Structures are given as C-alpha cells and as structure tokens.
Amino acid sequence: MNTATATAWLRAFAAAVDEHAAALTDLDRPIGDSDHGVNLQRGVHAVLEALDAQAPATPGAVLTTAGSTLVSTVGGASGPLFGTLLRRAGKALGETEDADGPALAAALRAGLDGVVKLGGAQVGDATLVDALTPAVEALEAGRTVAEAAAAAEAGAASTEPLVARKGRASYLGERGTGHRDPGAQSVVLLVRALAAVA
C-alpha cells in the first residue's frame, strides 16, 4: 500500500459510509443513540477535507491524519475507536513509502490492539472488535483483503445473537440481542473499501 492507495482506501470508505449512512443509523436505533451513521458520515467528510488540505506524503501519514481527524470530529464512541484504529495503524507504518501485505497486517494489528485497549472489548462482546479481529487475523495468515472482508462480514453477523457487554447496547442486556452492531458493520465497509483498491 502506497500513499495513493491509502488515500483511495479512505475515499472508498467515505463513499461507502455515504451510501450506507442511513442503514448504519437504522442498526444503531434499537441499541444505541440513533446517530452512528450520521456521526461517521460527518467524520469521513472531515477526513477527506483534511487529506485534501495536507496531502500526506506516506501511507502512514495518510492514516494518521485520518485517525486524528476522526477523533476530533466524531462524537460518541465511533470517533475515538475508528480514529484510534487508523492512527495506530499509521504510526505502525512509520515512514514506509510502500507497505507490503505483512506490514499492512502488522499495522492493522497495532490498530486493533489500540481499539481493544481504549474500549476494553474482546471478541464476543458484540462490538466492532468482533468484525475487526477476524479481518486482521485473515491478513496475518496471508489471505487476500477480499477474504479479510468476508471474515469481517462473518464477524459482524456474529454480533446479532450476542448480549452486548460493552457500549450503549450493553445497557439493554438480553433485549439487545437480534441486532447487528453498527460499529462492526462499519468495519465491514472499511475492509471492503480496502479490498476495492488493494
């Protein structure tokens, strides 16, 4: 992944969020604050503005800029969590101008570790970690980004029968079952966007 690819990834993610913002908010309505799609949409638009203004020179700088922008512009949990994911991944890439598959997998593992540290969630807690973890593990195993996206989709689907143990949905207990976590579904969009440009 070079600078152009990293930028194209975030543009593809922004387009996907635009397309699915209403659906993400619909997922959030029964278990959250009914604002996930709107908040994330605002964040990705701010990311595109920041990238246009700064023109980062390396893929790591692209992701770090995007992550910092999400943290500063998106309310709720999604800004800090997705921002941490991208910022940690960007810092892990460092000054590399063209990251290969193992380097990208390692960077996303660093991002996942940051998300887990920030939110305290593990697989099975019905959060974005349920989608992000299998996607990262697929990349670490040398599988394609398309296969990682499929793993993320399966992980997001796995949140539907779970009783959430983190985040707003955890307040509902058993009443929160039967709903896909919107953050997990947003991870699917993120990994699919990477697959589209990789």
Side-chain angles (χ1 to χ4, degrees), residues 15-103:
V17 170
D18 275 341
E19 180 181 353
H20 296 281
L24 292 173
T25 292
D26 286 344
L27 288 177
D28 194 35
R29 187 166 289 114
I31 58 174
D33 292 328
S34 304
D35 59 0
H36 180 77
V38 173
N39 281 343
L40 196 57
Q41 189 174 33
R42 182 173 64 252
V44 295
H45 282 230
V47 165
L48 297 186
E49 291 175 6
L51 293 178
D52 288 342
Q54 298 180 31
T58 63
V62 169
L63 299 186
T64 302
T65 297
S68 296
T69 302
L70 288 176
V71 168
S72 64
T73 59
V74 181
S78 56
L81 292 171
F82 279 89
T84 294
L85 166 62
L86 293 176
R87 193 160 57 182
R88 290 287 188 93
K91 288 182 178 179
L93 289 175
E95 298 301 313
T96 302
E97 294 185 358
D98 196 350
D100 60 12

Side-chain angles (χ1 to χ4, degrees), residues 88-89 92-93 100-113 136 139-140:
R88 290 287 188 93
L93 289 175
D100 60 12
L104 178 59
L108 291 175
R109 168 60 69 178
L112 171 59
D113 289 346
V136 171
L139 293 175
E140 289 174 331

Side-chain angles (χ1 to χ4, degrees), residues 105 108-109 112 129-141 143-145 147-153 155 187-188 191:
L108 291 175
R109 168 60 69 178
L112 171 59
V129 172
D130 288 282
L132 186 57
T133 299
V136 171
E137 290 175 346
L139 293 175
E140 289 174 331
R143 296 167 66 190
T144 66
V145 183
E147 289 172 317
E153 173 65 39
V187 168
V188 175
V191 185

Side-chain angles (χ1 to χ4, degrees), residues 114-139:
V115 167
V116 169
K117 182 177 181 180
L118 177 64
Q122 302 292 331
V123 170
D125 287 344
T127 72
L128 64 86
V129 172
D130 288 282
L132 186 57
T133 299
V136 171
E137 290 175 346
L139 293 175

